[in-house]
Amino acid sequence: MEKANPFLGRDVVSILDFSREDLEYLFKVAEVMERFRRSKIEILKGKVIALAFFEPSTRTRMSFETAAKRLGADVIGFSSVEATSIAKGESFADTIRMLDAYADLIVVRHKFEGAAKFASEIAVNPVVNAGDGKQHHPTQAMLDLYTVKKMFGKIDGLTYAVVGDLRYGRAATSFIYGLTLFNPRKIYLVSPPLLRARPEVVEYLRKKGVPFEEVNALDEVIEEVDVIYVTRIQRERFPDPLEYEKVKGSYRITLDLLSRGKEHLKVLHPLPKVDEIDKRVDNSKYAAYFEQAANGVPVRMALLSLILGAELGKVGADL
Amino acid sequence: MEKANPFLGRDVVSILDFSREDLEYLFKVAEVMERFRRSKIEILKGKVIALAFFEPSTRTRMSFETAAKRLGADVIGFSSVEATSIAKGESFADTIRMLDAYADLIVVRHKFEGAAKFASEIAVNPVVNAGDGKQHHPTQAMLDLYTVKKMFGKIDGLTYAVVGDLRYGRAATSFIYGLTLFNPRKIYLVSPPLLRARPEVVEYLRKKGVPFEEVNALDEVIEEVDVIYVTRIQRERFPDPLEYEKVKGSYRITLDLLSRGKEHLKVLHPLPKVDEIDKRVDNSKYAAYFEQAANGVPVRMALLSLILGAELGKVGADL
Amino acid sequence: MEKANPFLGRDVVSILDFSREDLEYLFKVAEVMERFRRSKIEILKGKVIALAFFEPSTRTRMSFETAAKRLGADVIGFSSVEATSIAKGESFADTIRMLDAYADLIVVRHKFEGAAKFASEIAVNPVVNAGDGKQHHPTQAMLDLYTVKKMFGKIDGLTYAVVGDLRYGRAATSFIYGLTLFNPRKIYLVSPPLLRARPEVVEYLRKKGVPFEEVNALDEVIEEVDVIYVTRIQRERFPDPLEYEKVKGSYRITLDLLSRGKEHLKVLHPLPKVDEIDKRVDNSKYAAYFEQAANGVPVRMALLSLILGAELGKVGADL
C-alpha cells in the first residue's frame, strides 16, 4: 500500500470524523471487496467482533455479521437488551468494558445520542457506531454515498432531495452530513414542518456553505433532483393521527411522481420501508434501495478490514 | 458423480416437489454425512446460510445450524421476529430481499401457508422451507422417511399410523405427502374428528391410489402397524377444554398399548412432545424419535451440500 | 503431557467435583491460553458446543462463546427460553437429549438447583454448569480463584471477606466452596442477617475445618482482609423496601472504606454490579473485577480444551 490506512485502529462515531479522502480510500477497498461478496477470505481470522445491539436492527446487524464472517472473523454479541445483564441493572460502561475484554472491535447500536462516543472512550479496542440517537449512523452514510458513487460515478455536482423525517431519522441526518464532505450542487430538505432538519444540521450546512433549501413537498423540486433519499415517517411522531395520515400521503413516492423527474433519477432508502414508497417503484429503474442495502456488506467488509489492519495485499487490493 | 444432482440450486418448498429417486439420492448422501456428524468438513466454506425463523423453533433451527457449521458454512439470521425490522412494519418480501443480498441460501420458517413459496419467488438464491403454515415441512419429512429407511431398510410395504393433529400439524401432513412418493402397504389416519386430515390431503391420497383409512383410535389398528407417527395435540385447537382432556387421554401412547403391537413396531414423533407419549416409552425398543431428531443433522447436511453444489467427491461420496 | 488430564470427558457440575490438584492443572493451561486470548487456535476445530441458557446471562455466555470460537469450535444454542420449544411445553430432558445429538459438549445455565446435574445424567456428551440454582457456578469459581492466584501468586494463607447475598448468590457460594479446596487463613462471611450463608455451606466449612466467621459489616474486618469478594444484593430479596435501602447502604464498597485496609487489598465481583461498589473504585488499585471478568476467557478456553481432549502440545503447553 502506498498511502497510509487512515482507518487503522480508529473509532467510527460520526461520518464527520472522516475526510473526503478517507471515504474515497474506503470506497476503493469496498470495490475490491465486491469481488468477495460471495466467498470467504480469511484476512480477519483470529479477530472477534462484538455486535452490541442495545436497540433492534436486522439489516445493519446482519450486514455487519455477514461482512465479519466473510472476512474470517468470529462474531459474538446480543441483538436486544432483554437477554443481557443490562436488564439486571448493569451500567452501559461495564457492559462495554466486558465486550472490550472479549472482542477486538465493538459495533454499538443504541437509542441514546452519544452512546457510541461514550463507548469509544471506555473501550481500548475500536468502536464502530451502528446508529445511536437521532443523528449518527456513519456506516449507513458510508454505504449510501458509496451507492451514489457507483450509480453516478460521482457524488459531486448532483442535486439531492432528502425526504421524510429529518428531525429524528439518524440515517437521513448522517447522509446530509456525509454530503457536506463532497460538493453537491444542491440539497433539498423535504419534510413536513414538524419533522424539519434539526437546527444544528441546518447550521452546519450554512457554515460549510453547502447550497440547500427547505421545502414542504417533493413535487416542487422533482424535475431538478438526481437522487432522492427517502426515510420512513413514524406515526408516533405525530400527536394527531389525522395529521399523520395527511402527511403520510403527501410524502409517498409513486411512479407517477418519479416519471416527472430526470431520466436517470434514483431513489435511495436506508430501509426498512413501510409504505412511503409505492411497491410498483420496487421493480422500476428508479429503485436503488435494494442495491444500496446489498452494498452494506462490501462497505462494512472494507471498513472492518481497514480498522483492524487486515493485509489487503493478500486479496489483491492495490491501494 | 455419475448421476446428475437433482437438488442443485433448487428451492425446497414442499416434499411433493421431489421424486422418489430424488429422495433416494438424498438418503445416500445423508448416509455419507453420518460419518461426519462429529467433525467439520469444509465443503461449504465460503457460503453464508441465512436462518430466517419468523416463528420460533429449537430443533429445526439448531439442526440446520449444526449442519451448516459442520459443513464449514457461516450462519446469520434471527430466531424470532421481535428483534427484527418486521416489528417496524417491513414487508416479508423486503426482508427476504435483504437476506438474499447477504446470504447464499435462505432457510425460512413462517406461520403462514405459502411463505416459503413466496420467498422462493423473490429470492435469487435457493430457499428452503423449514416449516410454513399447516401443511409443509419438507425437510422434516425427509428426515422422517430417512429414519424409517434406516430402521426397516425400506419405506415400501409397511403399514403406517399417523396419529394426532392431522389438520393443523404440518409435520404429520408432510410425512403423509412424503409416503405417497413410496408404496406404503397402508396408511391409517388416526385423529379425533375435529383434527381429521384436511380434505386436500385425503383427496391427494385418493388420487394417488394410496391405501388409507381414517380411524378414531389407535388401538383399533395397533396389531397391524409397523410405524406410528405421533404428533402433539394442542389444547388451543379445542373450543371446549373438557373435550380436549378426553381426546388427550385417548391419543396417549403407552407401553401397554405398544406391547399389543408388532415386535418391530417403531414410534416416530417430530418433537417437541409434551405428554402424548408416556415417558416410559422413551427408553423402550419402540422409541425411534430421539434417533429421528438426531437424523436431522446428516439429512440437512446432505440437503444443503447438494443444493449448494458442494464437491461431495472430496468426502468420499461415490454417487 | 506427563500428567493425565483430569478433565477429559468429564462433566463440570460443582467446583467440589474437583481437587486442588485438578484446579492447579487447569490454571497452568489457562496461563498458556492467555497467550492466545487475541488469536484463534484451532485445537477444537470440528467440535460443536451448545450454549443452553435457560436463564439470561451476558458475561458467562459471551465468555464461553469467545473461548469456544478462539479455540476453533462452532457454537449453537439459545440465550433465553422464549424462542425455544420449552415454551411449547417440551421437557428439560428432551431439550438436553436434542442438544446432545447435535453438539459435542453442552453448557447449561438454569435457575433451578440441580439442572446441570440432571442434564449430565441424560447427556452422553460432557455437560458444563454455567450456573444453576443458588449454589453452583463452578466455572465462575474457577476464574475467581485463578484471578486470586494471578494477583497474589497464591490462594493459600490469605484472608477473604465474601460480602453481600450469601444466601441466594451462586457465585459467592461457589467461591466459598472453591476456597475450601485450598488453605485460606480465614474467610469472613459478611452479610445482612436475611442473606446469611445457607446452613449446608456453613456446615461444610465446619466439617472441612476451614477458619471462618460470620459478621454483619465489612468495616469490622476491613483491616484484616486481603481479598474482598462482593456480590449484588437484590431488592426483591427484601419484603420491606426500607430494610433493603438500609442494607444496601451498609454493604456499599467505597474508596474510603478500602483505604482503611491493607495496601495490596483487592476487590473481586462476579459482575454485573449495580451500585454496591462506588464507581470511583473502578479506576483504583483495588479493583480486580474487570481483570477477573477478562480471565473468564482463558480459564474457559482451558476448561473446554481439557474436557474435549484438545492437543495442547500443539500450542506449546508443556504440562
Side-chain angles (χ1 to χ4, degrees):
Chain A
M1 272 193 256
E2 299 194 19
K3 198 172 168 296
N5 166 2
F7 292 89
L8 189 63
R10 276 181 78 176
D11 300 308
V12 176
V13 170
S14 160
I15 190 72
L16 293 175
D17 297 345
F18 300 91
S19 68
R20 175 192 182 119
E21 288 68 35
D22 295 343
L23 295 184
E24 283 169 346
Y25 188 92
L26 177 76
F27 296 162
K28 261 191 204 150
V29 178
E31 256 172 69
V32 175
M33 290 301 165
E34 299 240 17
R35 282 187 253 142
F36 304 102
R37 273 179 57 186
R38 296 291 175 183
S39 48
K40 182 164 186 161
I41 48 176
E42 305 202 289
I43 58 177
L44 286 189
K45 189 165 172 173
K47 300 296 183 185
V48 171
I49 291 173
L51 302 183
F53 279 69
F54 295 87
E55 195 188 58
S57 153
T58 337
R59 216 164 312 269
T60 305
R61 181 174 64 81
M62 287 208 272
S63 69
F64 264 113
E65 191 166 351
T66 303
K69 290 179 174 174
R70 291 211 182 268
L71 294 166
D74 284 299
V75 174
I76 61 167
F78 47 86
S79 55
S80 70
V81 296
E82 285 91 60
T84 71
S85 292
I86 310 289
K88 299 181 193 167
E90 179 169 53
S91 72
F92 177 74
D94 280 6
T95 303
I96 295 299
R97 274 184 197 104
M98 166 188 67
L99 295 169
D100 198 31
Y102 302 162
D104 304 300
L105 181 150
I106 307 170
V107 177
V108 174
R109 166 87 149 222
H110 204 287
K111 68 175 169 181
F112 291 145
E113 202 75 36
K117 177 79 187 146
F118 184 42
S120 76
E121 286 162 6
I122 292 162
V124 172
N125 291 297
V127 168
V128 175
N129 186 357
D132 69 345
K134 311 291 177 231
Q135 295 197 62
H136 297 297
H137 194 349
T139 67
Q140 179 71 46
M142 287 167 181
L143 74 93
D144 294 343
L145 294 167
Y146 180 72
T147 303
V148 172
K149 180 85 189 307
K150 268 177 76 179
M151 300 238 152
F152 292 88
K154 61 178 182 181
I155 297 166
D156 297 330
L158 301 173
T159 299
Y160 297 82
V162 187
V163 181
D165 181 351
L166 308 186
R167 183 165 178 72
Y168 303 104
R170 59 170 83 114
T173 304
S174 290
F175 183 67
I176 295 166
Y177 279 142
L179 286 176
T180 68
L181 300 171
F182 295 84
N183 296 305
R185 186 182 167 83
K186 187 164 186 177
I187 307 176
Y188 286 107
L189 304 179
V190 187
S191 74
L194 258 172
L195 300 177
R196 284 269 187 278
R198 311 174 85 78
E200 59 266 45
V201 176
V202 172
E203 195 42 53
Y204 193 83
L205 289 171
R206 251 183 220 123
K207 206 182 76 188
K208 286 280 165 184
V210 178
F212 75 98
E213 190 180 335
E214 296 187 275
V215 298
N216 285 322
L218 186 56
D219 64 3
E220 299 173 20
V221 299
I222 187 71
E223 288 88 353
E224 263 183 78
V225 300
D226 302 292
V227 174
I228 306 178
Y229 192 96
V230 188
T231 61
R232 196 158 43 105
I233 291 181
Q234 290 170 274
R235 183 184 303 262
E236 53 272 30
R237 304 295 183 206
F238 290 82
D240 180 353
L242 284 174
E243 181 65 15
Y244 167 72
E245 290 303 325
K246 212 174 70 192
V247 158
K248 200 180 75 168
S250 39
Y251 289 83
R252 199 142 186 275
I253 309 296
T254 60
L255 273 183
D256 236 37
L257 177 69
L258 297 173
S259 67
R260 291 171 39 214
K262 294 187 182 174
E263 194 59 31
H264 65 222
L265 177 61
K266 294 290 174 203
V267 179
L268 274 74
H269 191 302
L271 303 185
K273 60 186 170 65
V274 183
D275 51 9
E276 56 276 18
I277 299 179
D278 188 295
K279 280 202 181 349
R280 275 165 297 185
V281 177
D282 286 3
N283 300 312
S284 75
K285 63 178 181 183
Y286 305 112
Y289 34 87
F290 296 131
E291 184 175 338
Q292 177 190 4
N295 288 336
V297 177
V299 170
R300 289 178 174 120
M301 284 174 81
L303 185 66
L304 295 173
S305 303
L306 289 169
I307 296 174
L308 289 168
E311 285 189 52
L312 290 165
K314 277 191 186 171
V315 290
D318 180 27
L319 300 162
Chain B
M1 273 194 256
E2 299 193 18
K3 197 172 169 296
N5 165 4
F7 292 89
L8 188 64
R10 277 182 76 178
D11 299 309
V12 177
V13 171
S14 159
I15 189 72
L16 293 174
D17 298 344
F18 300 90
S19 68
R20 175 192 182 120
E21 288 66 37
D22 294 344
L23 295 184
E24 282 169 347
Y25 189 92
L26 177 77
F27 296 162
K28 261 189 205 152
V29 178
E31 254 173 71
V32 175
M33 291 300 166
E34 298 241 18
R35 280 186 256 142
F36 304 102
R37 274 179 57 187
R38 295 293 174 182
S39 48
K40 182 165 185 159
I41 47 175
E42 304 202 291
I43 57 177
L44 288 188
K45 190 166 171 172
K47 301 296 183 184
V48 170
I49 291 173
L51 302 183
F53 278 70
F54 295 86
E55 194 189 59
S57 153
T58 339
R59 214 165 314 268
T60 304
R61 180 174 64 81
M62 287 209 270
S63 70
F64 264 113
E65 191 166 353
T66 304
K69 290 178 174 174
R70 291 211 182 269
L71 293 166
D74 283 299
V75 175
I76 61 168
F78 48 86
S79 54
S80 70
V81 296
E82 285 92 60
T84 71
S85 292
I86 309 289
K88 297 180 194 167
E90 179 169 53
S91 72
F92 177 74
D94 280 7
T95 304
I96 295 299
R97 273 184 197 103
M98 163 187 70
L99 295 170
D100 197 32
Y102 301 163
D104 304 300
L105 182 149
I106 308 170
V107 178
V108 174
R109 165 87 150 223
H110 204 287
K111 67 175 168 182
F112 292 146
E113 203 73 37
K117 177 79 188 146
F118 184 42
S120 76
E121 286 162 6
I122 293 161
V124 172
N125 291 297
V127 168
V128 176
N129 186 356
D132 69 345
K134 311 291 177 229
Q135 294 196 60
H136 296 296
H137 195 349
T139 66
Q140 179 70 47
M142 286 167 182
L143 73 94
D144 294 343
L145 293 167
Y146 179 72
T147 303
V148 173
K149 179 86 191 306
K150 268 178 76 180
M151 299 239 152
F152 291 90
K154 60 177 183 182
I155 297 167
D156 297 331
L158 301 173
T159 299
Y160 297 82
V162 187
V163 180
D165 182 352
L166 308 185
R167 184 166 178 74
Y168 303 104
R170 59 169 84 114
T173 302
S174 289
F175 182 67
I176 295 166
Y177 280 143
L179 285 178
T180 69
L181 300 170
F182 295 84
N183 296 304
R185 185 182 168 83
K186 187 162 188 179
I187 307 175
Y188 286 106
L189 305 178
V190 188
S191 75
L194 258 172
L195 300 177
R196 283 270 187 276
R198 312 173 85 77
E200 61 266 44
V201 177
V202 172
E203 196 42 54
Y204 192 84
L205 288 172
R206 253 186 217 121
K207 206 183 76 189
K208 286 279 163 183
V210 177
F212 76 97
E213 191 181 333
E214 296 186 277
V215 297
N216 285 323
L218 186 56
D219 63 2
E220 299 173 20
V221 298
I222 187 73
E223 289 88 352
E224 264 182 74
V225 300
D226 302 294
V227 174
I228 305 178
Y229 191 96
V230 188
T231 61
R232 199 158 42 106
I233 292 180
Q234 290 171 274
R235 183 185 304 264
E236 51 274 30
R237 303 295 182 207
F238 291 82
D240 179 353
L242 285 176
E243 182 64 16
Y244 167 72
E245 289 302 325
K246 214 175 66 191
V247 159
K248 201 180 74 170
S250 38
Y251 289 83
R252 200 143 186 274
I253 310 296
T254 61
L255 272 183
D256 236 38
L257 177 69
L258 297 173
S259 67
R260 290 171 38 213
K262 293 188 182 174
E263 194 58 31
H264 66 221
L265 177 61
K266 294 292 174 200
V267 179
L268 274 74
H269 191 302
L271 304 184
K273 58 185 172 67
V274 183
D275 52 9
E276 57 276 19
I277 299 178
D278 188 294
K279 278 200 180 357
R280 276 166 296 184
V281 178
D282 286 3
N283 300 311
S284 74
K285 62 178 181 183
Y286 305 112
Y289 34 86
F290 295 131
E291 185 175 338
Q292 177 191 3
N295 288 336
V297 177
V299 170
R300 289 177 174 121
M301 285 173 80
L303 186 67
L304 295 173
S305 302
L306 289 170
I307 295 174
L308 290 168
E311 286 188 51
L312 290 166
K314 276 191 185 169
V315 290
D318 182 26
L319 298 163
Chain C
M1 272 192 257
E2 299 194 19
K3 199 172 167 296
N5 166 2
F7 291 90
L8 188 64
R10 277 182 78 177
D11 300 309
V12 176
V13 171
S14 160
I15 190 73
L16 293 175
D17 298 344
F18 300 90
S19 68
R20 175 192 182 120
E21 288 68 35
D22 295 343
L23 295 183
E24 283 169 345
Y25 188 93
L26 177 77
F27 296 162
K28 262 190 203 151
V29 178
E31 255 173 70
V32 175
M33 292 300 165
E34 300 241 16
R35 279 186 257 143
F36 304 102
R37 274 179 56 186
R38 295 292 173 183
S39 48
K40 183 165 186 161
I41 48 175
E42 303 202 292
I43 58 177
L44 287 189
K45 188 166 173 173
K47 301 295 183 185
V48 171
I49 291 173
L51 303 183
F53 279 68
F54 296 86
E55 194 188 58
S57 153
T58 338
R59 215 164 313 268
T60 304
R61 179 173 66 81
M62 287 209 272
S63 70
F64 264 113
E65 191 166 351
T66 304
K69 290 178 174 173
R70 291 210 182 270
L71 294 165
D74 284 299
V75 174
I76 61 167
F78 47 87
S79 55
S80 69
V81 295
E82 286 93 59
T84 71
S85 293
I86 309 290
K88 299 181 194 168
E90 178 169 54
S91 72
F92 177 73
D94 280 6
T95 303
I96 296 298
R97 274 185 197 102
M98 165 187 68
L99 296 170
D100 198 30
Y102 302 162
D104 304 300
L105 182 150
I106 307 170
V107 177
V108 174
R109 167 86 149 223
H110 204 285
K111 69 175 167 182
F112 291 145
E113 202 74 36
K117 178 77 188 149
F118 184 43
S120 76
E121 286 163 7
I122 292 162
V124 171
N125 291 297
V127 168
V128 175
N129 187 357
D132 70 346
K134 311 293 178 226
Q135 294 196 60
H136 297 296
H137 195 349
T139 66
Q140 179 72 46
M142 287 167 181
L143 74 92
D144 294 343
L145 294 167
Y146 179 72
T147 303
V148 173
K149 179 88 190 305
K150 268 177 77 179
M151 299 240 153
F152 291 89
K154 61 176 183 183
I155 297 167
D156 297 330
L158 301 173
T159 299
Y160 298 83
V162 187
V163 181
D165 182 351
L166 308 185
R167 182 164 179 75
Y168 303 104
R170 59 169 83 114
T173 304
S174 290
F175 183 67
I176 295 167
Y177 280 143
L179 286 176
T180 69
L181 300 170
F182 295 84
N183 297 303
R185 185 182 168 83
K186 188 163 186 179
I187 308 176
Y188 287 107
L189 304 178
V190 187
S191 75
L194 259 172
L195 300 177
R196 283 269 186 278
R198 311 174 86 77
E200 61 266 44
V201 176
V202 172
E203 194 44 51
Y204 192 84
L205 289 171
R206 251 183 219 124
K207 206 182 78 189
K208 286 280 164 182
V210 178
F212 76 98
E213 192 180 333
E214 297 186 275
V215 298
N216 286 321
L218 186 56
D219 65 2
E220 297 173 20
V221 298
I222 188 71
E223 288 88 354
E224 264 181 76
V225 300
D226 302 292
V227 175
I228 305 178
Y229 192 97
V230 188
T231 61
R232 197 159 43 107
I233 291 180
Q234 291 171 273
R235 185 185 303 263
E236 52 273 32
R237 303 295 183 206
F238 290 83
D240 179 354
L242 284 174
E243 181 66 14
Y244 167 72
E245 289 302 324
K246 213 174 69 189
V247 158
K248 199 180 77 168
S250 39
Y251 288 83
R252 198 140 186 277
I253 310 297
T254 60
L255 273 182
D256 236 38
L257 177 69
L258 297 172
S259 68
R260 291 171 37 214
K262 294 186 180 174
E263 195 57 32
H264 66 220
L265 177 60
K266 294 291 173 201
V267 179
L268 275 74
H269 191 302
L271 305 182
K273 59 186 171 66
V274 183
D275 52 11
E276 58 275 18
I277 300 178
D278 188 294
K279 278 202 180 352
R280 276 165 297 185
V281 177
D282 286 2
N283 300 312
S284 75
K285 63 177 183 183
Y286 304 112
Y289 34 86
F290 296 131
E291 185 175 339
Q292 177 190 3
N295 288 335
V297 176
V299 170
R300 289 179 173 120
M301 285 175 81
L303 185 67
L304 294 173
S305 302
L306 289 169
I307 296 174
L308 289 169
E311 285 188 53
L312 290 165
K314 278 191 185 169
V315 290
D318 181 26
L319 298 163

